[in-house]
Amino acid sequence: MAQAMTLIKNVYAEELKPMGYVKVKSKHPYFAKMLTPEIFAVIAIEKERYCSISPYEDTEFYLKECGEFHIYCGIGTVYKKNIDFDKDIEDNKRWLLGMRDIYRADNPEKIGEYDEELYSFIYDKNDKDSIVRSARKSIDIIKKYAFGKFDEINSLEKALKFLEKYNSSILYLGKYCDQDIDYCNVIDEGILYIKTENHDDLNELYERNCRKEYYAVISPNTGYKMEDYEEVCEIIAEFRKNIVANRDKIFEDRTVYSQVLGELERRKNYNCEKLKKYGILHNI
């Protein structure tokens, strides 16, 4: 059934519409909902080229019939450097999360549990019922692990807390990045610290991320060693230190602070137009 992804998208459109999600006006399978006039939630479906089921389980099915997709989600704000749903899911994975990322953040001591169940959704390409079952199963996973969290985000402060817990790597705060300008353009959600006048020491962020790494070390299936844990925690500590230092420099230099506020307003105006183009913003 060559139209498997079309069928999956139709199931998503039908199931998500009552919850306020719309299909983004893009050739790629994104669904989005405005949580507030400044914050939006996104669900994305990625079709896999190859099926991850082992050929040794059922070689004939693997070669001829097996299809697979993955799901991702995330929140964004109108203060992002770049919102681009014309790019495919692969290009937006820098800020989108898999369901297992959310599960691991909520249950760091259970690393490795349910990974495939939360990540891979397999179906028979020639069986409509099989495709629909996989689509609905994946939506049930999103409802269980993501939607409730999204619906609680009704302010930029809560959006920032969500990112700190589930996707802190995108909270980079800086104007330039010599190694990869494009990457830094995507991940500078740390500008929300300025928008929300946040002066936290971010020790909670550091401790939470180190705790996740600790459970990775003591788990028998990860291959991590204690020296790996110590090295990663040093990196996390430096990351926290850099965010705080860069943020405080902006607060202390009123000229730079005014420039950042101007940049925030520019981004908001620009991104609101893009969200209208994608058919998202009018749902407020």
Side-chain angles (χ1 to χ4, degrees):
M1 181 173 290
Q3 299 83 14
M5 277 303 295
T6 298
L7 184 54
I8 291 168
K9 287 187 286 186
N10 289 343
V11 172
Y12 265 70
E14 179 182 348
E15 295 279 338
L16 299 186
K17 184 177 180 180
M19 290 175 277
Y21 287 80
V22 296
K23 171 71 174 66
V24 174
K25 293 180 180 178
S26 164
K27 67 179 181 180
H28 304 293
Y30 295 101
F31 295 83
K33 172 185 178 179
M34 295 302 298
L35 302 175
T36 77
E38 297 176 299
I39 307 165
F40 57 92
V42 177
I43 306 296
I45 311 166
E46 181 181 50
K47 182 181 183 298
E48 288 300 296
R49 185 175 180 182
Y50 301 107
C51 199
S52 64
I53 189 171
S54 169
Y56 299 103
E57 294 176 14
D58 190 334
T59 303
E60 184 176 355
F61 178 69
Y62 175 82
L63 293 175
K64 295 181 180 180
E65 317 296 344
C66 180
E68 180 177 345
F69 65 93
H70 298 166
I71 51 175
Y72 296 88
C73 69
I75 65 162
T77 74
V78 296
Y79 303 106
K80 286 179 70 65
K81 177 74 173 182
N82 188 36
I83 299 172
D84 194 346
F85 293 123
D86 294 316
K87 290 184 176 180
D88 64 21
I89 284 79
E90 183 66 32
D91 290 322
N92 278 314
K93 283 183 184 177
R94 291 166 176 170
W95 64 278
L96 293 175
L97 298 160
M99 292 303 117
R100 61 183 178 182
D101 298 318
I102 293 178
Y103 181 82
R104 288 173 180 175
D106 286 336
N107 305 276
E109 75 283 2
K110 297 181 179 179
I111 186 169
E113 292 188 16
Y114 308 116
D115 271 8
E116 290 306 311
E117 178 183 336
L118 300 176
Y119 181 66
S120 299
F121 299 91
I122 293 171
Y123 56 88
D124 184 335
K125 292 186 287 189
N126 297 313
D127 184 339
K128 179 179 177 180
D129 290 340
S130 172
I131 297 168
V132 171
R133 279 197 304 271
S134 282
R136 288 180 173 158
K137 177 183 176 182
S138 68
I139 293 170
D140 287 341
I141 293 292
I142 302 170
K143 288 178 179 178
K144 182 175 181 179
Y145 293 104
F147 281 159
K149 295 177 174 62
F150 292 166
D151 289 342
E152 292 175 355
I153 300 172
N154 57 14
S155 68
L156 290 175
E157 287 79 9
K158 289 185 177 180
L160 187 54
K161 283 295 183 184
F162 176 91
L163 294 176
E164 285 183 344
K165 181 173 182 179
Y166 297 105
N167 204 6
S168 61
S169 63
I170 70 171
L171 292 175
Y172 172 86
L173 182 61
K175 188 175 182 181
Y176 302 110
C177 178
D178 294 336
Q179 293 181 337
D180 190 341
I181 294 295
D182 179 62
Y183 184 61
C184 287
N185 282 344
V186 173
I187 65 175
D188 65 344
E189 286 279 19
I191 201 169
L192 291 175
Y193 285 114
I194 309 303
K195 178 64 180 177
T196 60
E197 293 285 338
N198 183 294
H199 295 271
D200 291 350
D201 59 19
L202 304 187
N203 281 329
E204 182 181 347
L205 181 150
Y206 165 78
E207 292 169 359
R208 182 190 300 117
N209 286 340
C210 278
R211 187 163 59 250
K212 285 194 293 186
E213 294 301 322
Y214 172 74
Y215 284 112
V217 168
I218 66 174
S219 172
N221 302 317
T222 62
Y224 280 97
K225 300 178 180 178
M226 186 54 68
E227 52 263 37
D228 299 322
Y229 165 73
E230 294 170 351
E231 180 180 350
V232 171
C233 281
E234 288 179 6
I235 294 172
I236 295 170
E238 189 66 20
F239 181 71
R240 183 204 69 84
K241 179 180 176 182
N242 287 339
I243 291 177
V244 171
N246 290 337
R247 178 200 65 192
D248 290 351
K249 284 179 183 178
I250 294 172
F251 282 133
E252 292 163 5
D253 187 326
R254 303 312 289 180
T255 299
V256 175
Y257 178 72
S258 295
Q259 291 173 347
V260 172
L261 292 185
E263 172 64 8
L264 283 163
E265 189 64 21
R266 184 201 66 80
R267 291 185 184 189
K268 179 179 180 180
N269 293 334
Y270 178 73
N271 286 327
C272 282
E273 291 304 312
K274 292 196 77 171
L275 292 173
K276 289 176 184 176
K277 182 192 82 169
Y278 289 129
I280 305 169
L281 190 55
H282 65 265
N283 288 311
I284 297 174

